[in-house]
């Protein structure tokens, strides 16, 4: 039997998790409005969950390559398990470029279709 303390603790944890997710979406949406960002940031700004983000971003990269749309190159430093930072080339896309890529992208899953519509509308 759950005590009042455990119920309250579980509610606080759930609220904290939901709040963090809302902040992540709002932060990504603000970043996308200000400058060119990665495809993942654009998809996160639509409010999709993590698994959907992974699938859509992979498909969008393929669609971008097929459409011949290249983002702006950026050199970023990545860490492997917390150490050994090495430079990696990443690509940043504007909202207009992402809309073009999304127009060329033809998803089958319902979740992916909603993300595509949101990317085109943005």
């Amino acid at each position: 039997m759950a005590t009042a303390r455990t119920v309250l603790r579980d509610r606080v944890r759930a609220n904290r998790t939901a709040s963090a997710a809302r902040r992540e979406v709002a932060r990504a949406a603000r970043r996308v409005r200000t400058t060119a960002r990665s495809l993942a940031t654009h998809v996160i700004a639509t409010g999709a969950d993590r698994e959907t983000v992974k699938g859509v971003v992979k498909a969008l990269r393929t669609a971008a390559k097929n459409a011949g749309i290249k983002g702006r190159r950026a050199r970023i430093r990545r860490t492997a398990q917390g150490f050994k930072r090495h430079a990696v080339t990443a690509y940043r896309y504007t909202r207009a470029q992402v809309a073009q890529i999304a127009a060329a992208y033809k998803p089958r899953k319902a979740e992916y279709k909603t993300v595509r519509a949101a990317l085109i509308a943005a």
Side-chain angles (χ1 to χ4, degrees):
M1 181 163 198
T3 63
R5 174 174 260 155
T6 58
V7 169
L8 183 61
R9 183 194 64 211
D10 293 342
R11 189 179 334 142
V12 166
R13 285 181 180 168
N15 288 343
R16 189 179 302 133
T17 303
S19 176
R22 283 192 305 271
R23 280 194 313 272
E24 181 181 9
V25 169
R27 189 178 308 121
R30 187 187 72 242
R31 287 177 177 167
V32 167
R33 283 192 305 270
T34 57
T35 185
R37 291 292 175 169
S38 68
L39 287 175
T41 305
H42 284 277
V43 176
I44 289 170
T46 65
D49 60 46
R50 289 188 185 272
E51 291 304 314
T52 305
V53 168
K54 285 181 187 178
V56 171
V57 168
K58 188 171 183 172
L60 285 176
R61 284 192 187 113
T62 304
K65 189 184 341 178
N66 292 341
I69 299 171
K70 293 189 177 192
R72 189 184 75 215
R73 288 179 54 174
R75 296 290 283 175
I76 60 172
R77 300 215 172 259
R78 287 288 161 126
T79 60
Q81 296 157 353
F83 60 95
K84 190 164 168 114
R85 291 169 50 103
H86 59 279
V88 176
T89 301
Y91 294 92
R92 303 290 188 235
Y93 299 87
T94 63
R95 286 200 291 184
Q97 287 175 322
V98 172
Q100 280 182 315
I101 295 168
Y105 170 50
K106 304 295 183 209
R108 294 184 189 156
K109 279 183 148 182
E111 303 94 36
Y112 293 9
K113 287 180 181 181
T114 57
V115 171
R116 176 184 181 262
L119 290 173
I120 291 173

